[in-house]
């Protein structure tokens, strides 16, 4: 897929919680096609301590208005600087980067998201829905404050929630959710994005039921376009780049 | 008409702007962002005699105005380069210079000998300065006898343009430059990365899997500029300057310090079009200063 570099205009900066915000960005030309799982390398111009671009998933797209949105969690100087952007500010993106998820080989699919790991899952849920699937979407967090915009997913599947402290949905980790006892056999594929321990736990459960599992990795990157080899992950075929060969990997190919 | 061409030994570069090894893939990675043919040359990712997996992740740490890397020469080896990569890049209408590395003198010789017949590979750059491998690498570049020996050995099997890339992790870089000039280097690239380290205080752990890594980016520019200046006074062969170059002004500074050509590295990650912007900016500088031949600027530092 052809990659682009464009100056986007910030059309909205939406405060979601103290930790999360979303940026709506307008493309100066027609928005190119983007696939679920793909990301942008964002140039953080307003942070003196942020030198490299930051990889951020494409959260949502609107081809009618040529807008895309990013869902971002504040974790350090770069993301905090992005949270301060205002309407009319310019943000330079290199995009769309990386690969995408594969489509289910059977009827049902389970999407599992932890924290900001929900970002790449919205486009996936939309695509699955448009192809006639009705996926289950399981969103996990430590507390209810980590469950971001679950309503956004409701049009595209059935949404389930877990929190470590039980403040929303079922109490416990995602892999302890009742879906794993009641419906697990009905899934032909599981997709997951979230913290590493969560994805590893999901991968183990999927493997034990012989269900294909695809996860989206968040390795640190320098270039995002396969030029530096900084972002590698160990696979059964040697080191692969997370930015070009990923970020989506079939867990059976990874040395987890 | 502005003449931007420069000569690096037998290589006539259409302009002095090249991409630095390990930061530009093999070229096609940047096709969507620029016309790669406009560059004076492309320096490929390191090529070694055998397949190398490189170091374990994490291999990168951001630093103030730069980054540390410990990629460790990951590549599939020279035979794969010749069979698979070369056909995909041989259409470029610019100099393709392969960065050659290994852990033994015999390894360097093997790679150079195999690359010698490739028509579109018009030169090699001996990387005797990689800080990220356990054996060889930087060790070759930090002592005059070692640097001289590997240069001499490769000279014996390679008859096109041979550039030697020097390590800044030495006390007297000019001495090393002279040692490789004496053994037949046609040019030197100055500098590779500076050995550095990053620590995650919260976890009390090193950030990189290798603990130490190579520092690059704007943070190293003053050091690189100083070394280019020292080396260009010490040797007669052309010096290629690099280290932190991010814009046309940086590039001009390196030419003034004595570099015949320059390479752009880490800046490609921040702006994948930066090489072309630097090229355009050099033209603009020349027209502003009434310069008709870029060669007038080489070593033209006034004091
Ligand atoms: C393909 C991909 C897609 C991503 N999508 C999103 C997204 O949609 N929304 C979003 O908010 N974030 C996303 N991330 C993560 C995001 O890139 C990082 O959070 C961001 O780079 C941090 O920058 P910073 O300057 O704020 O923090 P830094 O100052 O760089 O780091 C602050 C702290 O966060 C940790 N950290 C930094 N990067 C990561 C990372 N990649 N994973 C885990 N911890 C990290 C650091 O170790 C440090 O402790 C994605 C990452 C990748 C690789
Ligand atoms: C990710 C990365 C990989 C690199 N790989 C190589 C390499 O394979 N061979 C080499 O000679 N230099 C390598 N270098 C060093 C650069 O070519 C260059 O000498 C150095 O980064 C300084 O220039 P810069 O500050 O413009 O990046 C690498 C640098 C980086 C950042
Ligand atoms: S971030 Fe450079 S290769 Fe992936």
């Amino acid at each position: 897929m052809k990659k682009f570099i464009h100056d986007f205009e910030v059309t909205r900066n939406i405060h979601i919680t103290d930790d999360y915000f979303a940026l709506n960005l307008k493309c100066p030309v027609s928005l190119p096609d983007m696939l679920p799982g793909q990301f942008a390398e964002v140039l953080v111009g307003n942070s003196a301590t942020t030198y490299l671009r930051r990889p951020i998933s494409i959260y949502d797209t609107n081809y009618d208005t040529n807008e895309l949105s990013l869902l971002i969690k504040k974790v350090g100087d770069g993301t905090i600087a992005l949270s301060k952007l205002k309407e009319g500010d310019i943000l330079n993106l290199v995009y769309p980067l990386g690969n995408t998820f594969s489509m289910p080989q059977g009827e049902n699919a389970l999407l599992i998201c932890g924290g900001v790991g929900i970002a790449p899952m919205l486009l996936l849920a939309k695509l699955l829905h448009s192809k006639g699937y009705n996926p289950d979407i399981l969103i996990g967090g430590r507390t209810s404050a980590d469950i971001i915009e679950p309503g956004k997913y409701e049009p595209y599947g059935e949404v389930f929630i877990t929190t470590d402290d039980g403040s929303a949905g079922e109490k416990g980790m995602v892999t302890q959710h009742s879906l794993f006892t009641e419906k697990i056999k009905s899934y032909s594929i599981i997709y997951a994005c979230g913290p590493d321990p969560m994805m590893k736990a999901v991968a183990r459960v999927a493997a034990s039921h012989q269900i294909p599992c695809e996860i989206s990795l968040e390795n640190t990157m320098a270039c995002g376009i396969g030029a530096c080899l900084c972002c590698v992950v160990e696979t059964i075929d040697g080191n692969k780049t997370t930015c070009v060969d990923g970020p989506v990997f079939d867990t059976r190919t990874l040395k987890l | 008409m502005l003449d931007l061409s420069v000569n690096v030994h037998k290589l006539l570069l259409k302009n002095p702007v090249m991409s630095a090894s390990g930061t530009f893939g093999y070229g096609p990675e940047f096709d969507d962002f620029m016309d790669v043919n406009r560059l004076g040359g492309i320096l490929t990712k390191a090529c070694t005699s055998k397949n190398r997996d490189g170091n374990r992740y994490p291999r990168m740490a951001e630093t103030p105005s730069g980054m540390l890397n410990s990629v460790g020469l990951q590549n599939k080896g020279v035979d794969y380069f010749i069979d698979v990569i070369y056909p995909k890049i041989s259409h470029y209408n610019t100099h393709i210079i392969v960065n050659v590395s290994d852990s033994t003198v015999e390894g360097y010789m093997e790679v150079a000998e195999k690359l010698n017949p490739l028509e579109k590979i018009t030169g090699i750059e001996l990387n005797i300065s990689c800080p990220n491998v356990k054996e060889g690498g930087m060790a070759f570049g930090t002592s005059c006898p070692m640097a001289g020996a590997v240069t001499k050995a490769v000279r014996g099997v390679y008859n096109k343009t041979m550039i030697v890339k020097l390590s800044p992790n030495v006390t007297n870089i000019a001495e090393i430059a002279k040692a490789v000039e004496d053994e037949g280097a046609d040019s030197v690239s100055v500098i590779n990365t500076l050995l550095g380290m990053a620590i995650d205080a919260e976890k009390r752990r090193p950030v990189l899997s290798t603990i130490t890594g190579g520092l690059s980016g704007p943070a190293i520019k003053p050091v690189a500029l100083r070394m280019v200046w020292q080396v260009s006074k010490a040797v007669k062969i052309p010096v290629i300057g690099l280290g932190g170059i991010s814009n046309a002004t940086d590039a001009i500074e390196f030419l003034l310090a004595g570099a015949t050509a320059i390479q752009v590295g880490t800046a490609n990650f921040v702006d994948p079009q930066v090489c072309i912007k630097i090229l355009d900016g050099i033209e603009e500088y020349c027209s502003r200063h009434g310069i008709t031949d870029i060669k007038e600027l080489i070593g033209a530092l006034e004091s």
Side-chain angles (χ1 to χ4, degrees):
Chain A
M1 267 174 92
K2 189 170 158 61
K3 299 184 271 292
F4 297 87
I5 178 167
H6 285 142
D7 278 335
F8 281 71
E9 188 188 325
V10 178
T11 49
R12 255 186 102 185
N13 181 346
I14 305 155
H15 173 96
I16 301 173
T17 69
D18 283 349
D19 288 336
Y20 290 87
F21 63 100
L23 292 175
N24 283 9
L25 305 169
K26 192 170 176 70
C27 188
V29 297
S30 294
L31 203 59
D33 279 339
M34 282 168 273
L35 304 170
Q38 289 194 305
F39 63 98
E41 277 275 35
V42 178
L43 186 65
V44 185
N46 56 338
S47 162
T49 49
T50 307
Y51 175 61
L52 296 166
R53 285 173 184 264
R54 292 294 189 263
I56 303 288
S57 306
I58 312 287
Y59 181 44
D60 205 355
T61 52
N62 185 334
Y63 291 94
D64 297 327
T65 60
N66 290 317
E67 280 178 295
L68 63 77
S69 60
L70 308 174
L71 177 69
I72 303 173
K73 182 177 185 185
K74 296 182 221 171
V75 298
D77 288 358
T79 46
I80 290 169
L82 291 173
S83 75
K84 299 194 172 130
L85 289 175
K86 292 187 296 291
E87 216 177 290
D89 285 346
I90 297 299
L91 197 61
N92 184 271
L93 264 54
V94 173
Y95 74 111
L97 306 175
N99 67 351
T100 187
F101 299 93
S102 53
M103 287 295 105
Q105 299 298 311
E107 275 195 6
N108 211 358
L110 174 62
L111 280 60
I112 303 178
C113 344
V116 78
I118 63 168
M121 292 299 188
L122 182 61
L123 287 182
L124 176 62
K126 280 190 180 184
L127 180 69
L128 290 170
H129 183 76
S130 75
K131 290 189 181 286
Y133 298 97
N134 187 36
D136 286 345
I137 301 156
L138 176 57
I139 305 175
R142 264 167 305 151
T143 72
S144 57
D146 298 318
I147 311 297
I148 305 306
E149 302 199 315
K152 276 225 170 199
Y153 296 78
E154 268 154 18
Y156 313 109
E158 199 169 341
V159 176
F160 302 86
I161 289 166
T162 65
T163 49
D164 294 356
D165 66 354
S167 52
E170 289 187 20
K171 184 174 153 89
M173 292 182 300
V174 285
T175 45
Q176 293 166 328
H177 193 273
S178 52
L179 284 175
F180 278 88
T181 41
E182 287 159 20
K183 284 184 79 177
I184 188 76
K185 294 226 157 16
S186 73
Y187 302 119
S188 64
I189 188 164
I190 297 175
Y191 308 98
C193 186
D196 271 357
M198 183 209 97
M199 292 198 287
K200 280 185 184 154
V202 171
R204 269 195 303 274
V205 178
S208 71
H209 289 90
Q210 278 144 11
I211 302 168
C213 179
E214 291 186 350
I215 60 175
S216 181
L217 297 180
E218 293 202 345
N219 285 11
T220 48
M221 296 181 176
C223 73
I225 57 174
C228 73
L229 307 183
C230 286
C231 64
V232 293
V233 55
E234 273 184 76
T235 76
I236 50 176
D237 300 321
N239 283 329
K240 299 264 185 199
T241 59
T242 302
C243 65
V244 173
D245 303 317
V248 180
F249 290 94
D250 183 328
T251 54
R252 289 168 299 188
T253 67
L254 296 178
K255 290 188 178 170
L256 285 175
Chain B
M1 257 299 276
L2 170 62
D3 183 1
L4 281 177
S5 68
V6 294
N7 287 288
V8 172
H9 183 62
K10 277 182 278 186
L11 305 184
L12 175 66
L13 309 186
K14 55 188 133 191
N15 63 66
V17 181
M18 300 190 277
S19 61
S21 173
T23 65
F24 206 72
Y26 294 94
E29 290 83 352
F30 287 78
D31 278 343
D32 285 343
F33 304 109
M34 67 165 87
D35 178 4
V36 172
N37 296 310
R38 282 191 64 199
L39 300 179
I42 308 168
L43 281 290
T44 69
K45 176 72 200 159
C47 181
T48 55
S49 57
K50 303 270 162 353
N51 174 72
R52 272 176 183 259
D53 291 332
N55 296 316
R56 293 187 67 124
Y57 179 86
R59 294 173 168 190
M60 194 279 284
E62 192 180 40
T63 66
S65 293
M67 62 179 274
L68 289 159
N69 90 81
S70 60
V71 171
L73 307 178
Q74 180 182 330
N75 80 105
K76 293 203 160 83
V78 64
D79 294 330
Y80 182 89
F81 175 83
I82 293 170
D83 294 342
V84 181
I85 298 170
Y86 179 65
K88 290 184 191 155
I89 60 175
S90 54
H91 65 279
Y92 283 129
N93 174 26
T94 183
H95 290 287
I96 308 171
I97 300 166
V98 176
N99 184 265
V100 174
S101 210
D102 215 85
S103 31
T104 63
V105 173
E106 294 70 32
Y108 278 98
M109 289 168 69
E110 180 187 339
V111 180
E113 211 168 356
K114 285 181 171 168
L115 294 174
N116 202 37
L118 301 189
E119 191 196 332
K120 290 302 291 284
I121 306 301
T122 47
I124 57 173
E125 181 183 64
L126 289 193
N127 173 9
I128 58 167
S129 41
C130 180
N132 298 323
V133 287
K134 281 206 193 73
E135 292 153 27
M138 192 168 83
F140 285 109
T142 49
S143 93
C144 290
M146 290 276 277
V150 65
T151 305
K152 183 177 182 183
V154 177
R155 182 77 288 177
V157 296
Y158 192 77
N159 57 28
K160 296 196 245 176
T161 298
M162 179 175 78
I163 304 160
V164 178
K165 185 165 180 180
L166 305 184
S167 171
N169 302 304
V170 294
T171 318
N172 186 342
I173 194 166
E175 269 180 8
I176 311 270
K178 274 190 281 190
V180 303
E181 179 182 42
D182 287 347
E183 296 299 351
D186 299 319
S187 169
V188 283
S189 301
V190 179
I191 56 174
N192 207 316
T193 53
L194 283 149
L195 196 60
M197 179 169 173
I199 292 177
D200 184 332
E202 293 300 320
K203 297 184 187 147
R204 299 193 191 185
R205 296 176 69 93
V207 179
L208 299 172
S209 70
T210 47
I211 304 176
T212 61
L215 182 64
S216 64
I220 71 169
K221 197 193 91 177
V223 178
L225 203 52
R226 182 263 293 178
M227 290 186 160
V228 166
W229 179 69
Q230 289 176 322
V231 169
S232 69
K233 287 197 301 179
V235 297
K236 293 186 192 64
I237 52 177
V239 176
I240 300 170
L242 76 155
I245 297 178
S246 313
N247 54 48
T249 311
D250 292 343
I252 300 282
E253 291 171 18
F254 277 79
L255 297 181
L256 292 172
T260 296
I262 59 106
Q263 296 177 13
V264 183
T266 306
N268 291 304
F269 305 156
V270 178
D271 180 357
Q273 297 173 323
V274 71
C275 284
I276 297 298
K277 288 180 186 163
I278 290 174
L279 183 51
D280 293 341
I282 290 176
E283 281 191 34
E284 188 272 329
Y285 177 93
C286 289
S287 77
R288 199 154 41 83
H289 287 263
I291 287 157
T292 53
D293 186 343
I294 187 94
K295 292 182 270 300
E296 289 170 41
L297 287 175
I298 299 169
L301 187 66
E302 292 174 12
S303 53

